[in-house]
Amino acid sequence: MVSDSRLLNHGPHPRSNMTSPVVSQLFNRADADIVFRSSDNVEFRLHKLILGMASPIFNDMFSLPQPQCAGEQPQVVDATETASVLESLLPFCYPMARPTFLRVDHLLSVLHSAEKYEMTFISTQLLRNLRNFLPTEPSRIYAIACLREDADLVRAAAKVLLGTFPLYDPHNFPPEFDRLPATALAKIEAYRKDCAAAALSTLHDFDRMPSRIPSRFVSVSRKGNVDLSSAWVWLTCESCTGGNMRMAIANAATGQRHRLTPRAWWQRYFDAVAEELGGRPLASIVTEMRFMRPAIDSAAECEECGQRAAADLMDYAEAMAKRIQGALSKVAFVLPFGQPAELKDVCQPDGLADRDEETNEDTQ
């Protein structure tokens, strides 16, 4: 267990030469029996019973003989945390609204304190809050998760990073990258390449793609005759220009093949989607309107294609997205560390608490 002397300062106040302390608006109860004074000289009027229940560190500390205080004034303890950190940590101990974390650095500072005081139930909740930053800072959350050896968070971040290209800005990379093993970056790059290969393989599976969608079944007879009565318009139209792609559809029993030439407008959509999937292997790529709209507009120039292009392309894109998602779900991400492993106290970057100058993190 961590020594109390490393957590809180007792006795004569080393900050006595500072300006008069300010009392926290959130924690200013008149019935307080302990006062925490933050490193930036803000006092928190608290209760030993509540703090002792939240932290075994505090429970042990309060069980020791306490110094005599003048009159009936509660004991004042100098804490090493800033007021901002304490105002985000303490609400988890009291029946009050939980804070909203707007910055990863601030969340990590609070998490560091929760783990220092062995507030396990608070640490668990704070770790869940890290997921809120996945959409905006996936590279940093991935690095934090790797350093903490949090397998679930690593996998969640890896999936989000499939849509982030490049993986990080080399001129402004997350601070945790200074301590991140090279293998962690190699693993995420390998995962992206494996997912890209799976997505592109599914996209190019022409032989199985049309026949796997019942409403768009394309059949080839034993003699090699093809039935296109239910096929998409870019396979049936003979009016507009065809592309240079050839799709071979085979009879399952005989292997007899029939080659189809999709229309050029559809091939331009296909080629653009394939290029994007190579860098961002996400199933949703095939349904993005920035790829579909130019194809639909081009198809409108053909009287035959224009009537059906939008509906057919959406039908195809939705079906293909499901197939790609199924392929991606089978790609395994190899963790850059062994399992199981204990969480490591690496969430606090060097000097982070000293740099945390935030004084009023929003609370709900």
Side-chain angles (χ1 to χ4, degrees):
M1 181 172 295
V2 181
S3 171
D4 296 340
S5 61
R6 293 173 53 192
L7 306 175
L8 303 164
N9 297 319
H10 302 268
H13 306 311
R15 301 167 198 164
S16 59
N17 60 341
M18 299 176 65
T19 59
S20 298
V22 176
V23 178
S24 167
Q25 294 183 357
L26 289 176
F27 299 93
N28 58 1
R29 292 288 297 260
D31 59 352
D33 57 1
I34 187 76
V35 174
F36 277 16
R37 182 178 293 165
S38 69
S39 61
D40 47 358
N41 213 31
V42 177
E43 289 190 348
F44 294 77
R45 303 181 66 84
L46 307 168
H47 305 85
K48 293 181 180 179
L49 177 61
I50 293 177
L51 295 179
M53 293 176 66
S55 164
I57 298 291
F58 292 147
N59 185 62
D60 291 347
M61 183 182 77
F62 298 148
S63 67
L64 298 174
Q66 302 298 312
Q68 295 294 324
C69 297
E72 297 182 358
Q73 293 299 315
Q75 176 189 1
V76 178
V77 177
D78 285 323
T80 59
E81 285 77 18
T82 63
S84 175
V85 170
L86 290 176
E87 286 189 347
S88 295
L89 175 67
L90 293 172
F92 288 94
C93 305
Y94 282 78
M96 57 194 306
R98 301 297 188 251
T100 297
F101 292 95
L102 305 179
R103 298 189 300 112
V104 175
D105 282 347
H106 184 66
L107 173 56
L108 292 179
S109 294
V110 179
L111 177 59
H112 173 74
S113 294
E115 293 182 333
K116 181 175 71 171
Y117 297 129
E118 298 183 11
M119 297 172 166
T120 306
F121 74 102
I122 298 179
S123 300
T124 301
Q125 296 180 61
L126 292 171
L127 286 170
R128 294 197 194 103
N129 275 269
L130 281 174
R131 291 177 176 265
N132 296 336
F133 294 94
L134 278 174
T136 55
E137 301 185 58
S139 295
R140 186 172 190 188
I141 300 305
Y142 173 75
I144 292 170
C146 286
L147 291 172
R148 295 184 61 84
E149 299 192 0
D150 185 333
D152 290 340
L153 188 56
V154 166
R155 292 190 180 97
K159 291 181 180 179
V160 175
L161 283 171
L162 292 178
T164 304
F165 189 81
L167 180 64
Y168 59 89
D169 181 354
H171 301 292
N172 187 29
F173 52 82
E176 289 77 15
F177 274 32
D178 288 337
R179 294 171 290 133
L180 191 67
T183 52
L185 294 177
K187 295 293 186 181
I188 193 64
E189 289 291 359
Y191 179 62
R192 183 200 296 276
K193 290 182 179 180
D194 290 345
C195 286
L200 289 172
S201 177
T202 303
L203 185 72
H204 284 88
D205 190 359
F206 301 137
D207 189 42
R208 305 174 70 182
M209 178 265 295
S211 61
R212 285 300 179 92
I213 302 175
S215 63
R216 299 297 185 178
F217 187 75
V218 178
S219 64
V220 178
S221 69
R222 289 178 176 273
K223 295 182 179 181
N225 298 319
V226 64
D227 179 7
L228 297 175
S229 58
S230 300
W232 289 294
V233 67
W234 60 83
L235 296 178
T236 61
C237 177
E238 296 182 353
S239 301
C240 60
T241 305
N244 56 19
M245 180 186 296
R246 299 293 181 269
M247 297 173 63
I249 312 300
N251 179 281
T254 65
Q256 184 72 35
R257 306 178 72 84
H258 183 88
R259 296 188 180 277
L260 302 174
T261 302
R263 300 301 88 186
W265 61 264
W266 180 84
Q267 184 175 335
R268 285 192 290 272
Y269 156 81
F270 180 92
D271 290 344
V273 164
E275 182 177 359
E276 187 73 7
L277 284 174
R280 297 175 58 237
L282 300 173
S284 60
I285 294 297
V286 296
T287 61
E288 291 186 8
M289 289 307 298
R290 63 191 178 106
F291 298 118
M292 298 179 65
R293 176 53 61 187
I296 294 171
D297 291 345
S298 180
E301 300 175 5
C302 172
E303 183 176 353
E304 183 176 352
C305 290
Q307 298 178 8
R308 295 172 47 194
D312 280 15
L313 189 56
M314 181 58 71
D315 190 20
Y316 165 85
E318 290 178 349
M320 180 55 68
K322 291 180 180 178
R323 289 202 61 209
I324 292 176
Q325 186 58 49
L328 293 177
S329 67
K330 298 176 183 178
V331 179
F333 176 75
V334 181
L335 293 169
F337 49 83
Q339 281 190 285
E342 294 182 359
L343 294 181
K344 295 183 177 179
D345 185 16
V346 295
C347 65
Q348 176 82 344
D350 294 340
L352 180 59
D354 295 334
R355 296 198 308 268
D356 188 355
E357 298 178 355
E358 180 177 346
T359 59
N360 187 26
E361 189 76 9
D362 291 343
T363 57
Q364 293 182 339

